[in-house]
Amino acid sequence: QQQVKQSPQSLIVQKGGISIINCAYENTAFDYFPWYQQFPGKGPALLIAIRPDVSEKKEGRFTISFNKSAKQFSLHIMDSQPGDSATYFCAPSYDKVIFGPGTSLSVIP
Amino acid sequence: NAGVTQTPKFQVLKTGQSMTLQCAQDMNHNSMYWYRQDPGMGLRLIYYSASEGTTDKGEVPNGYNVSRLNKREFSLRLESAAPSQTSVYFCATKPDRGGYGYTFGSGTRLTVV
């Protein structure tokens, strides 16, 4: 059974702080490592993704760090804002996609 | 806006009733998917369709059927609803090439009483 684990399960960060969410996987066949963002009442939306040939990708305030040997990748949100409050899912993929259980982020003023 | 449209947004069914969830995409993708989302369990794949005329079971197909009506539309049917099927259902599509990122619909919240 393929497993994808996320930590923490929930996270509270003050406005302006750094939010860090981790994803650990088992299957070395994964070749695409995305993070999805989901607001209440909405479907998940692709936020940022990385391929295994790079160790880091940055898009604005969002950064993915990828550690192939540890089979982990993480999402860093710099200067976190209340509008970032959402649930975040990692979803490593090859021809199949395995979603993590999600991390609920609350950014407080 | 291009995307994935799901109907209805909300539905309450009695145990044993049937219903069909509709999904349409205007992104011209071949692949379409049905997921269910339950608290603490992420998203689980029910059925998918790699192209018009083909469908395959996912992780949790029991109690569901699907129809790929044409390239745009992919419906999910509950023949005899059970309380265990209370969930939020999402339809999704993804590009055929160039990446695996999904575009999701806004979901159908189904309650079976």
Side-chain angles (χ1 to χ4, degrees), chain B residues 71-93:
Chain B
K71 190 172 185 178
R72 291 187 64 248
E73 297 174 288
F74 188 36
S75 63
L76 178 71
R77 183 162 179 83
L78 286 70
E79 293 289 352
S80 179
S84 61
Q85 295 178 304
T86 294
S87 188
V88 182
Y89 292 86
F90 289 101
C91 178
T93 185

Side-chain angles (χ1 to χ4, degrees), chain B residues 21-87:
Chain B
L21 283 65
Q22 306 287 352
C23 175
Q25 54 101 0
D26 59 6
M27 305 179 77
N28 201 35
H29 294 163
N30 283 307
S31 301
M32 297 185 74
Y33 304 82
W34 276 105
Y35 281 89
R36 61 177 289 173
Q37 184 175 35
D38 302 291
M41 300 191 72
L43 291 108
R44 293 182 293 170
L45 182 63
I46 305 170
Y47 270 94
Y48 66 100
S49 172
S51 62
E52 184 179 351
T54 68
T55 60
D56 286 287
K57 295 178 180 180
E59 181 185 356
V60 288
N62 291 344
Y64 305 95
N65 286 301
V66 291
S67 295
R68 183 72 183 269
L69 305 172
N70 47 56
K71 190 172 185 178
R72 291 187 64 248
E73 297 174 288
F74 188 36
S75 63
L76 178 71
R77 183 162 179 83
L78 286 70
E79 293 289 352
S80 179
S84 61
Q85 295 178 304
T86 294
S87 188

Side-chain angles (χ1 to χ4, degrees), chain A:
Chain A
Q1 181 73 21
Q2 298 179 49
Q3 294 251 342
V4 174
K5 298 180 181 179
Q6 280 185 237
S7 60
Q9 184 175 357
S10 62
L11 182 61
I12 300 174
V13 173
Q14 285 212 306
K15 180 182 176 181
I18 302 173
S19 303
I20 301 175
I21 304 170
N22 300 300
C23 184
Y25 60 93
E26 295 180 352
N27 192 334
T28 56
F30 292 136
D31 62 357
Y32 182 73
F33 300 89
W35 286 95
Y36 288 82
Q37 180 187 55
Q38 184 179 27
F39 294 107
K42 303 292 185 182
L46 181 64
L47 181 64
I48 187 171
I50 198 168
R51 297 279 185 189
D53 54 342
V54 296
S55 60
E56 186 173 284
K57 181 177 181 179
K58 183 177 181 180
E59 292 184 354
R61 296 185 294 109
F62 301 92
T63 299
I64 291 183
S65 296
F66 179 67
N67 186 330
K68 187 174 183 178
S69 61
K71 292 188 285 186
Q72 294 181 353
F73 63 111
S74 60
L75 174 68
H76 296 237
I77 306 174
M78 310 300 288
D79 186 25
S80 298
Q81 299 296 313
D84 297 329
S85 298
T87 301
Y88 293 82
F89 296 94
C90 63
S93 317
Y94 53 110
D95 64 337
K96 294 182 180 181
V97 179
I98 309 296
F99 282 89
T103 296
S104 177
L105 171 64
S106 296
V107 181
I108 57 175

